[in-house]
Amino acid sequence: MAVKWIGTKFKGVRYYEHPTRKHGLKKDHYLAIRYQINGKRIEEGVGWTSERDPEDNQYWTEAKAALVLERLRGAAKYGKMEAPTRIAEKRELEEKRKEAEAAELKRLKRENIILNKYFYNSYYPDAKINKKENSYIHEETHFRLWIDPIAGQKPLKELSEFDVRRIVKKLLDAGKSPRTIQYVMATLRQVWNKARRGKIVSGDSPTKDVKIPKFDNRRQRFLSHTEADLLLETLKEKNEAIYKMTLLSLHTGMRASEIFKLTWSCVDTERGIIAILDAKSGHGRAAFMTEQIKEMFNGMKRGKNDDFVFLRKDKKPYKEIPPLFRDVIMNLKFNENVSDTRQKVCFHTLRHTMASWHAEGGTDLYILKELLGHGSITLTERYSHLSNGALQEAARSFEKKIKAASSKGSEVINFDK
């Protein structure tokens, strides 16, 4: 619809009236200006008299529009390149100014964000989406107990190696193991790395040059065949489900978490294969059934494909090994007078036992690596001393020479023969 433009007492400023809307007692006016730049006629809308100029928050008037027009004419006449020569340019510059101010404010807030706020408002929510439940729960515990009390109120960008050393000292003073210290440092390092990806911090993590006491937490204890038979026999008398989970781990090396998540769709007794979909390494793998495991599965009532193989009495999946398992271990005195956790028997000992038996039987380490689902052969090489027949033969030869020398009453033992 064509509008009727009305001139004002200010040259180059005109307006048209809104048909219904009012501003105060008068009808609302839409103001526009007309001028020339380099012989080209320019006409631009300024705004309604009911609107405010965002630059000074004042309502638009004919006089105000005339002032804008004079500034634009002056910029065009004298070639002031830094000044806008059109209202559209003026508004664009204003938008850019506001964006720059907002970006600067955001930068300042980001640079001054404290570690506690960043962890709970950014890192932890993201971890809950992208990590396994067990992982993000442990990370929150590490942060809450050890990191937050020391450095939680510091700006993230000011976190230093000195702060990290204080955290390590707190852990050591509390008697925590080197392994626990390593886990806490890993949590802090991952928080820093996420902040670095978000351009909040830069450079290496302050944990980089902090030395952590070396440790070897690898389990050494594995069951003898006699001990394993005794454990299975005792469990079978007390709880059928725990007995079957124990047998399954002992024969396949499956972890407790893998057994808890096992569904019937992953059990193929015809081929003797168990598909492990959610392995610790993040990659699926296959576990292979012994005949005894096949018989166990065939003797169980098979559920629907999505049903869990092992369920508690309340029909819910297991989340942890029931206390009965630990009670049986205690009653059998497998851990009696044992203080080193590496020598204590627990459910994970079953997986270690399976691997040790394989190694003793001569299974190639690369095959054993695949059976265990290790991401690196380095993890499997811990069993190399059990598979090295030459070392065992040397030890037996050593013993024979000692016995031979003792029987002859010799004072010198010649090991070169």
Side-chain angles (χ1 to χ4, degrees):
M1 180 179 71
V3 297
K4 182 181 179 181
W5 288 100
I6 302 171
T8 71
K9 65 180 180 180
F10 300 100
K11 186 178 178 180
V13 179
R14 61 179 185 164
Y15 68 90
Y16 70 82
E17 294 182 339
H18 193 282
T20 58
R21 189 172 66 208
K22 287 189 176 183
H23 177 52
L25 299 177
K26 297 180 180 180
K27 287 186 177 180
D28 201 0
H29 293 175
Y30 184 78
L31 298 167
I33 57 175
R34 290 185 294 180
Y35 56 101
Q36 287 188 345
I37 297 179
N38 299 325
K40 182 179 179 181
R41 191 178 183 83
I42 305 295
E43 184 164 357
E44 291 186 285
V46 174
W48 293 94
T49 54
S50 60
E51 297 175 338
R52 295 177 185 268
D53 181 356
E55 186 173 344
D56 59 13
N57 201 35
Q58 299 296 315
Y59 285 110
W60 284 107
T61 64
E62 294 173 8
K64 186 175 176 60
L67 288 173
V68 171
L69 176 59
E70 286 304 311
R71 285 200 296 268
L72 293 174
R73 281 174 175 164
K77 182 178 180 179
Y78 297 107
K80 295 179 179 179
M81 301 305 295
E82 72 279 4
T85 59
R86 300 187 62 173
I87 288 180
E89 293 176 6
K90 181 174 179 291
R91 288 173 176 164
E92 183 179 353
L93 288 172
E94 179 65 16
E95 286 299 316
K96 288 182 177 179
R97 183 187 67 78
K98 288 182 177 179
E99 289 175 3
E101 286 182 353
E104 178 65 8
L105 182 61
K106 186 176 180 180
R107 181 187 69 81
L108 291 173
K109 287 182 177 179
R110 184 173 66 242
E111 287 188 353
N112 290 298
I113 187 171
I114 65 172
L115 178 57
N116 176 284
K117 296 285 187 187
Y118 182 76
F119 181 85
Y120 284 109
N121 294 342
S122 181
Y123 181 85
Y124 189 54
D126 185 64
K128 292 176 75 172
I129 295 173
N130 297 302
K131 295 188 176 185
K132 293 181 179 180
E133 182 179 6
N134 191 52
S135 295
Y136 68 72
I137 287 177
H138 279 138
E139 287 184 336
E140 194 280 332
T141 301
H142 297 155
F143 186 86
R144 174 168 41 84
L145 294 182
W146 307 109
I147 300 172
D148 195 19
I150 298 294
Q153 297 305 310
K154 290 200 68 170
L156 185 54
K157 67 176 184 177
E158 295 181 10
L159 193 65
S160 67
E161 182 179 318
F162 176 72
D163 298 312
V164 177
R165 293 187 185 281
R166 288 178 63 206
I167 295 170
V168 171
K169 183 177 184 305
K170 181 180 175 68
L171 286 157
L172 290 172
D173 290 346
K176 296 302 176 180
S177 69
R179 184 63 165 173
T180 299
I181 298 174
Q182 185 188 55
Y183 283 143
V184 174
M185 291 298 100
T187 295
L188 184 56
R189 183 167 56 252
Q190 290 185 60
V191 172
W192 178 273
N193 289 342
K194 175 177 168 56
R196 183 172 57 191
R197 291 192 296 271
K199 310 297 183 184
I200 296 173
V201 297
S202 60
D204 292 328
S205 166
T207 62
K208 180 181 178 183
D209 295 323
V210 177
K211 302 299 182 183
I212 300 173
K214 293 183 178 181
F215 65 95
D216 181 1
N217 72 325
R218 296 178 298 180
R219 292 191 177 275
Q220 303 296 329
R221 175 86 152 89
F222 64 94
L223 301 178
S224 67
H225 289 276
T226 301
E227 288 175 324
D229 289 342
L230 180 58
L231 175 62
L232 290 169
E233 181 182 333
T234 306
L235 287 172
K236 191 171 186 179
E237 294 176 354
K238 294 183 176 296
N239 187 293
E240 188 74 13
I242 302 176
Y243 157 75
K244 289 177 179 177
M245 288 192 289
T246 300
L247 182 67
L248 183 58
S249 181
L250 191 62
H251 280 230
T252 66
M254 288 178 67
R255 301 178 177 91
S257 60
E258 294 167 348
I259 294 174
F260 298 158
K261 296 176 184 177
L262 184 64
T263 60
W264 282 109
S265 62
C266 298
V267 178
D268 185 348
T269 53
E270 289 187 9
R271 294 191 299 162
I273 294 175
I274 301 169
I276 301 175
L277 304 180
D278 297 310
K280 183 179 180 181
S281 65
H283 302 288
R285 76 173 196 278
F288 298 90
M289 303 180 193
T290 60
E291 288 301 319
Q292 192 172 353
I293 295 300
K294 284 184 185 180
E295 292 177 10
M296 182 191 82
F297 280 128
N298 286 330
M300 298 172 67
K301 182 180 179 181
R302 191 179 183 94
K304 297 177 182 178
N305 282 345
D306 291 338
D307 289 346
F308 290 104
V309 174
F310 297 103
L311 293 172
R312 303 183 317 196
K313 291 182 179 180
D314 59 5
K315 303 302 180 184
K316 293 182 179 180
Y318 286 93
K319 295 291 185 181
E320 60 182 5
I321 293 296
L324 176 63
F325 182 87
R326 293 189 291 272
D327 293 343
V328 169
I329 294 297
M330 181 179 68
N331 292 335
L332 293 176
K333 298 184 179 181
F334 285 173
N335 292 329
E336 190 173 41
N337 298 322
V338 178
S339 58
D340 191 335
T341 56
R342 293 170 295 183
Q343 298 292 344
K344 285 189 174 183
V345 175
C346 62
F347 194 86
H348 195 76
T349 304
L350 304 173
R351 173 178 164 85
H352 183 53
T353 297
M354 171 266 197
S356 299
W357 287 355
H358 263 288
E360 285 185 327
T363 300
D364 182 83
L365 289 182
Y366 281 92
I367 293 176
L368 183 55
K369 169 184 173 294
E370 296 303 313
L371 289 174
L372 293 171
H374 283 163
S376 166
I377 188 63
T378 303
L379 298 173
T380 319
E381 286 176 344
R382 63 190 291 188
Y383 301 104
S384 60
H385 67 287
L386 297 174
S387 63
N388 195 326
L391 294 178
Q392 295 175 350
E393 180 58 35
R396 285 192 288 268
S397 176
F398 177 79
E399 183 181 26
K400 288 179 181 178
K401 292 182 183 296
I402 290 177
K403 289 181 177 179
S406 297
S407 62
K408 295 179 180 179
S410 174
E411 295 182 358
V412 179
I413 303 175
N414 185 356
F415 292 110
D416 295 327
K417 293 182 179 181

